[in-house]
């Protein structure tokens, strides 16, 4: 008769090892994934990257027939939720260490107000990012003018552009919601869209 001399502790340690492996796998499966948003925020802190964002919430579509760029009363403007959203987006920038930036805006009032409420610094008007919603013949020349402008910019410091859905879609291919931020990297060959950061409406 053959007697097994196997140490029972070996069997026990094997079972413990298998149990540990299963437990680790379950924990990894249940753990929340790393937020892609945070990687995009980190990119905005690096040279060669910039944010192009849609103005905050301004209910409606387009502008009234009597629209005049110099007169905010003739335009579609931010509502109270949009103003709160713009301030909250500014806080999100500051929470990631971006306390100041080069801020450029469309000349439309809803964009200028969004840009100022971010609280990241002086806002400069930039005509190439004005809306062409009412004149799509401006799509290509304005988008090309923006590419040329960005190609010559010093992107060592954070840069934020506040503009309209149509402009962002023409430049990046992204159809952003109100207040959504698109993160872009300038490359030797042009520009690469890295992703978007959604911002909640209060």
């Amino acid at each position: 008769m053959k007697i097994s001399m196997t140490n029972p502790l070996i069997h026990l340690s094997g079972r413990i090892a298998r149990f540990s492996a299963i437990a680790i796998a379950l924990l990894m499966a249940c753990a929340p994934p790393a937020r892609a948003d945070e990687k995009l925020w980190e990119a905005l802190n690096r040279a060669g990257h910039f944010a192009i964002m849609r103005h905050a919430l301004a209910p409606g579509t387009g502008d009234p027939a009597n629209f005049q760029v110099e007169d905010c009363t003739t335009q579609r403007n931010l509502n109270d939720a949009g103003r709160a959203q713009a301030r909250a987006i500014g806080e999100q920038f500051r929470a990631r260490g971006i306390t100041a930036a080069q801020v450029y805006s469309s000349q439309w009032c809803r964009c200028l107000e969004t840009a100022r409420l971010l609280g990241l610094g002086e806002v400069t008007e930039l005509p190439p990012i004005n809306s062409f919603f009412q004149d799509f013949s401006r799509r290509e020349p304005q988008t090309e003018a923006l590419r040329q402008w960005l190609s010559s910019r010093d992107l060592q410091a954070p840069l934020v552009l506040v503009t309209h859905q149509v402009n962002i879609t023409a430049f990046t291919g992204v159809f952003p919601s109100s207040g959504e931020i698109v993160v872009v990297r300038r490359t030797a060959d042009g520009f690469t869209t890295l992703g978007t950061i959604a911002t909640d409406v209060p």
Side-chain angles (χ1 to χ4, degrees):
M1 182 175 66
K2 189 174 182 180
I3 300 173
S4 173
M5 301 298 291
T6 304
N7 190 330
L9 290 176
I10 295 175
H11 290 296
L12 180 60
S13 62
R15 286 196 295 272
I16 291 173
R18 285 193 296 275
F19 176 79
S20 298
I22 293 169
I24 290 169
L26 288 171
L27 285 171
M28 290 179 67
C30 295
R35 288 194 60 181
D37 282 7
E38 294 307 322
K39 294 188 179 297
L40 294 174
W41 283 114
E42 289 170 12
L44 290 178
N45 273 298
R46 297 198 296 270
H49 298 73
F50 61 92
I52 181 167
M53 64 174 283
R54 186 179 179 182
H55 59 76
L57 187 63
T61 303
D63 285 291
N66 65 336
F67 163 81
Q68 296 176 44
V69 72
E70 305 85 3
D71 186 352
C72 293
T73 65
T74 66
Q75 301 178 33
R76 178 164 64 93
N77 294 303
L78 303 187
N79 62 4
D80 288 342
R83 295 182 187 95
Q85 182 188 27
R87 294 187 189 97
I89 294 169
E91 290 301 325
Q92 290 183 48
F93 274 97
R94 284 183 284 279
R96 273 78 177 189
I98 302 174
T99 58
Q102 308 170 73
V103 183
Y104 289 84
S105 173
S106 157
Q107 293 174 300
W108 268 234
C109 293
R110 55 185 174 272
C111 291
L112 287 167
E113 187 173 17
T114 298
R116 289 165 182 153
L117 289 172
L118 293 176
L120 296 175
E122 182 179 351
V123 176
T124 303
E125 297 179 8
L126 185 64
I129 57 175
N130 285 350
S131 176
F132 50 76
F133 183 78
Q134 292 172 314
D135 182 6
F136 268 77
S137 69
R138 298 294 309 156
R139 182 182 190 272
E140 292 306 322
Q142 281 190 218
T143 304
E144 181 57 29
L146 176 59
R147 289 193 188 99
Q148 293 297 324
W149 185 85
L150 285 165
S151 295
S152 64
R153 295 299 301 175
D154 179 358
L155 297 182
Q156 294 299 311
L159 172 66
V160 179
L161 307 179
V162 182
T163 183
H164 309 263
Q165 173 267 308
V166 289
N167 301 75
I168 295 170
T169 302
F171 184 72
T172 68
V174 174
F175 193 111
S177 58
S178 298
E180 190 166 7
I181 299 167
V182 182
V183 180
V184 181
R185 178 175 63 222
R186 186 174 67 191
T187 67
D189 300 323
F191 301 93
T192 300
T193 300
L194 300 184
T196 68
I197 301 171
T199 54
D200 297 329
V201 177

